[in-house]
Amino acid sequence: MSTTTYTPRRGTLARTESRQALGFVSPALAGLALFTIVPVVLSIVMGFFNWPTFGDKEFVGFDNYVRLFTQSPDFWPALRNTFVFALLYVPISVILSLLLALSLSSRIRGRGALRVLFFIPVVTPMVANVLVWKMLLQPQGLFNGLAQSWFGVQLPNFLADPQWAMIMVVVMSVWQGLGYNMLIFSAALEQLPESVVEAARIDGAKGFRMIWSVMLPMISPSIFFASIMTMITSLQVFAQPQLLTGGGPGNATQPLVQFIYNQGFKFQELGLAAAAAWILFAIIIVLTALQFRAQKKWVHYEH
Amino acid sequence: MKKIHVGAVAAAAAAALVMTGCSTGGGDASSDTVVIDMWAGSQSDTDALNAQLEIARKQNPDLKIELRTAPWGDFFTKLTTNMASGNMACVTGMNSGMLSSYTDGFLELSDADLKTAGIDLADFSAGADEILSNKGTMYGVPFDIATMLVYYNADLLDAAGVAHPEAGWSFDDFEATAKAATKDGKYGFAVGMGDFQWQALPIAKAGQQPVEQDGTLALTDPAFVDAASWYSGLVTDEKVAAPVASASDTGWGENQYAGQNAAMAVDGTWNAVSYLNNDAGFTAGMTTLPSGENGSLGLILGSGFGIAKSCKNPDAALKVLGSMLSPEAQDYIASSGRSYPARTASQPLYFESIDEQFRPQVEEVFTKAFEQVQGQYVSDNWSKVGTYIQPQLVSVYNGQETMENVLESAQQQFGK
């Protein structure tokens, strides 16, 4: 059997096989095209049109983008709210969950149960979480009730005060998302190579030095992953403000995604909504790219 | 290889386009079939519609009539798509609060059209012709009518030693009742967040709507601003109502009332039966909106049917519409207690369907409440105005913003 005689045959076989393979993947490709590619392309197109849900569509070029930046009274506040939320939420969430993972990494009794406890908010439906938080925070709620009966202090109406409302959205979101990052960090901490830890211990490292100089650098890929994912989800925040504060009072807690939702589905301005969505997309891409560039300085992949 | 991939993706994309194109089609019926499109949220809703459909079939044996339904929320999304694709059902259900966004799809009804349908508006409740009208043009005929009422918790009022309000009471009576009932951690009144719920009292007090009949926004009209400021003052000055906890509490007043935290709240006649039979077990009562120097103006709301502009056989559709609103069909919805019928002759049957112990009160209050009503005027961007004002109301009720400022900025933003 000489290879030369088989070469052309193998070529036809490969071709037939790839054709058959294509037959097998075509349902997936059709699905991808129908549910991903077409809507994405359509949304780009929509961004350049005055596109009411019903009625005549009209090409307006970059008008939607200009309108967003110069005329829409809610766009800049929405952008500001999104950034305020992300700036507060990402560091607090990452640091707290890291602390939690570190304190649960030593062999303390019942840490499995504690981990489950902290993870519960991640798996419970957001609507239920928000309902509980509302019952805690409203003036007739638990916090105000306790403050009044114990200290005789009247707490502010948290969800109706422009300053407090955003803080409470962040607090609730941190509580809700804490368990997920904690789980990532816990997994990374469990995987620390024994040899490195032992070598550091022999060299006399312990306590803060051990965590700062040995453990953190070694789990830095996980920290990087968690902070990127947390940042992306925080820029896309919608459910918490929508359900907890309704974007109010006024537009004090209305993030960009809620703005997009209102434009598209309440005001039927699909073109404007699509344009705003692409601005959000651009922001997320740029920030993620910057993070990827910065990671070279602080993320260590080699053990 | 590359070529094949590109080809495959192109083929898949083409297939996708064909598929999306197909999905808007279908449902096309031959021209001698009249399709009725109506919302129905449950089996009992559908059964009731089918009973009315039977009446329509009996009255029009020569026509084929079909029924399409969708739940309330989906109905309007579907209607938007159907309108965009020219596939709207000849006889389509419509609600007074939703009409302004859909006028483009409906046929303007003339007197001749009503005659074809066999409908004489004189048989209907006063103001019924305004329910499905927009800027003076009529697009549909209602099968039921509704307006806003003040509901009270008789147990809370008794506990506070306050007399129950009676139909025809004044704004002074209202304030006195609210003040007296505010004690022991309960509030006398609960403010509304929904458009109808919060605007009902200001409109009644001002004697005018925040929109003019031609659709011009008039939020800053001094009479309305005064009345609305008085309304928010119930929370901030009189302290007879609790400040709203969050802008996401869109049903604040109704929930506070149902949860027995407040003795009174404003809600529509459509909830009368559910409040009377409330699960919490308190004794509910109802009365008309209070009246002041400017009378007690109420809005007449309701749902009905219109004819699609794209309908190929409007005469047949009008006949079906007439049958769906015929005395027999109206008697049916009235006696089943589903809603308060628009035909005056059928209205007594509605009261008969109500539990005997509540019947006299419901009959008295309903009759009186519909005496001074006006169709709702809306501007073209009315839903935007509502969406803008609602989260601002929270700031107003919490004293961080004044009602005047909010109405002013809404007028500036949407009144162009």
Side-chain angles (χ1 to χ4, degrees), chain B residues 37-39 72 75-76 79 91-104 106-110 114 119 121 124-146 196 299-307 321 325 330 342 374-378:
Chain B
D37 198 2
M38 188 61 196
W39 57 85
W72 168 266
F75 177 83
F76 291 96
L79 179 56
V91 181
T92 294
M94 197 19 82
N95 173 271
S96 58
M98 307 296 286
L99 177 68
S100 64
S101 316
Y102 297 95
T103 47
D104 287 350
F106 283 96
L107 197 70
E108 297 175 9
L109 294 183
S110 64
L114 292 178
I119 286 173
L121 284 173
F124 286 70
S125 231
D129 55 325
E130 295 174 47
I131 292 176
L132 293 175
S133 292
N134 188 267
K135 295 177 191 168
T137 311
M138 191 171 175
Y139 295 96
V141 188
F143 56 79
D144 68 2
I145 57 174
F196 292 130
L299 297 185
I300 187 165
L301 313 163
S303 303
F305 292 106
I307 305 291
L321 180 138
L325 295 163
Q330 285 276 286
Q374 192 174 56
Q376 189 195 11
Y377 305 148
V378 294

Side-chain angles (χ1 to χ4, degrees), chain A residues 226-243:
Chain A
S227 53
I228 286 218
M229 295 311 286
T230 312
M231 187 206 70
I232 293 177
T233 50
S234 74
L235 290 174
Q236 293 174 340
V237 66
F238 172 71
Q240 296 94 312
Q242 165 85 5
L243 295 166

Side-chain angles (χ1 to χ4, degrees), chain A residues 89-170:
Chain A
Y89 174 71
V90 177
I92 297 178
S93 172
V94 170
I95 291 170
L96 270 186
S97 50
L98 191 58
L99 286 176
L100 213 57
L102 283 170
S103 51
L104 288 179
S105 69
S106 51
R107 309 214 159 272
I108 55 167
R109 192 188 284 234
R111 63 181 186 143
L114 281 174
R115 273 183 193 164
V116 171
L117 216 58
F118 284 116
F119 198 66
I120 283 177
V122 182
V123 287
T124 47
M126 185 70 87
V127 179
N129 292 343
V130 168
L131 214 65
V132 172
W133 275 85
K134 255 179 148 173
M135 282 173 6
L136 299 176
L137 291 172
Q138 62 189 9
Q140 302 109 307
L142 184 74
F143 289 160
N144 196 28
L146 290 182
Q148 275 185 323
S149 57
W150 289 356
F151 310 108
V153 181
Q154 169 83 34
L155 295 181
N157 191 353
F158 288 117
L159 300 175
D161 184 287
Q163 265 83 43
W164 279 106
M166 182 51 101
I167 293 174
M168 285 307 155
V169 171
V170 173

Side-chain angles (χ1 to χ4, degrees), chain A residues 10-68:
Chain A
R10 205 185 281 155
T12 47
L13 188 68
R15 228 173 289 151
T16 335
E17 272 191 342
S18 68
R19 224 172 279 143
Q20 283 165 345
L22 211 62
F24 283 111
V25 295
S26 59
L29 274 181
L32 182 77
L34 183 58
F35 296 113
T36 308
I37 298 173
V38 170
V40 166
V41 172
L42 195 63
S43 79
I44 301 177
V45 175
M46 271 179 159
F48 295 107
F49 277 80
N50 176 8
W51 193 302
T53 327
F54 173 74
D56 295 328
K57 301 155 184 75
E58 183 195 351
F59 182 77
V60 293
F62 281 94
D63 230 33
N64 284 329
Y65 292 88
V66 174
R67 256 178 76 195
L68 282 176

Side-chain angles (χ1 to χ4, degrees), chain A residues 221-295:
Chain A
S222 302
I223 299 177
F224 176 61
F225 170 76
S227 53
I228 286 218
M229 295 311 286
T230 312
M231 187 206 70
I232 293 177
T233 50
S234 74
L235 290 174
Q236 293 174 340
V237 66
F238 172 71
Q240 296 94 312
Q242 165 85 5
L243 295 166
L244 197 62
T245 62
N251 56 15
T253 55
Q254 187 187 74
L256 203 49
V257 178
Q258 200 184 1
F259 172 83
I260 294 168
Y261 170 82
N262 283 348
Q263 295 300 325
F265 300 106
K266 281 195 173 161
F267 302 164
Q268 268 90 44
E269 298 230 31
L270 295 180
L272 208 61
W278 276 93
I279 292 172
L280 177 65
F281 173 75
I283 293 171
I284 291 178
I285 280 289
V286 167
L287 287 181
T288 310
L290 284 179
Q291 270 182 307
F292 263 96
R293 185 162 301 171
Q295 61 132 352

